[in-house]
Amino acid sequence: MTSPIPSRTQLDADIALAERLAEAAGAAIRPHFRKVTAERKGDATPVTLADRAAEEAMRAVLAVEAPNDGVIGEEFGTTLGTSGRTWVLDPIDGTTGFVAGRPLFGTLIALVVEGFPVLGVIDQPILRERWVGAAGRPTLFNGQPVRTRACPALAEAAIATTGPHYFSNHDGEHFMALAAQTDHKRMVMGGDCYNYAMLASGHLDVVCESNLKLHDWAALVPIVEGAGGTMADWNGDPLRQGSSGHVIALGDPARLDDVIEALACGH
């Protein structure tokens, strides 16, 4: 079986394309920041004109530059391709924060090959911050390498999650069992994808969430892992297309067994 990782030349081209997608999305988003209100989708989650405009802008670029690749987007669904490669797009991850005027949302862009993310971008278009991760390469923040930090013990870990209301009662019990074993007085609530960027840059130790979809996490994996961290599901298994949506990110992979044990909370 051949490796799903693109060749060096192909990966260089893919990264350049991903950055063009980020520029297109950012240009569509910035005029709407602190100027729009949200509508409700069928699942009651918020969406704005900026979400739709940013995904349309990225899809327009891909239609010209990568017409054989598939596309999965949060707002406009799936477009099948013939290349075995799929671009996964979340135009605004953190729409609630965006509508509240908080620049902690991000545009997520991933390239998935054979079910595994090989390239990811988190772009914060208001602060002009961009993290780029690619398989076999160090993660870059605005062009400079970043690293996660060591965490000697779970009790010293700063943990983050987008919010308690995103967990079911059952999952919430498991999250709180984990949080109780961390330095929970430093717990961060809110932030969506920005938490994973902060973990990759060495400012957080653990992010734990559930009910994520592919577009929520695919871009994050190459970024976290390229910075020295690890991502997995709540069983400790690698994330791939079709994973359950129970996601953990750790800056120090040595804490993975501790986190999995804490999440199990005796079950």
Side-chain angles (χ1 to χ4, degrees), residues 59-161:
R59 284 177 177 268
V61 173
L62 288 171
V64 173
E65 299 199 34
N68 297 322
D69 292 351
V71 182
I72 297 174
E74 181 182 15
E75 305 306 333
F76 297 106
T78 300
T79 301
L80 297 177
T82 59
S83 66
R85 296 154 41 95
T86 302
W87 293 90
V88 181
L89 310 174
D90 190 345
I92 298 180
D93 182 74
T95 300
T96 299
F98 173 78
V99 173
R102 301 177 69 199
L104 301 180
F105 64 91
T107 297
L108 300 182
I109 301 162
L111 176 61
V112 174
V113 180
E114 296 180 14
F116 290 95
V118 299
L119 166 62
V121 173
I122 301 172
D123 188 70
Q124 212 312 306
I126 307 305
L127 301 177
R128 309 278 182 163
E129 295 180 333
R130 184 177 299 167
W131 290 260
V132 178
R137 301 190 183 190
T139 293
L140 302 180
F141 167 60
N142 287 353
Q144 297 300 314
V146 290
R147 295 290 296 176
T148 60
R149 67 186 181 193
C151 182
L154 188 57
E156 299 179 27
I159 188 170
T161 194

Side-chain angles (χ1 to χ4, degrees), residues 186-223:
R186 291 195 289 152
M187 185 188 304
V188 173
M189 292 285 181
D192 298 273
C193 65
Y194 203 77
N195 290 333
Y196 298 84
M198 292 298 95
L199 182 141
S201 290
H203 304 300
L204 289 169
D205 301 299
V206 181
V207 183
C208 180
E209 300 188 282
S210 67
N211 298 314
L212 299 190
K213 297 179 175 62
L214 181 65
H215 60 256
D216 294 313
W217 61 260
L220 311 175
V221 175
I223 291 169

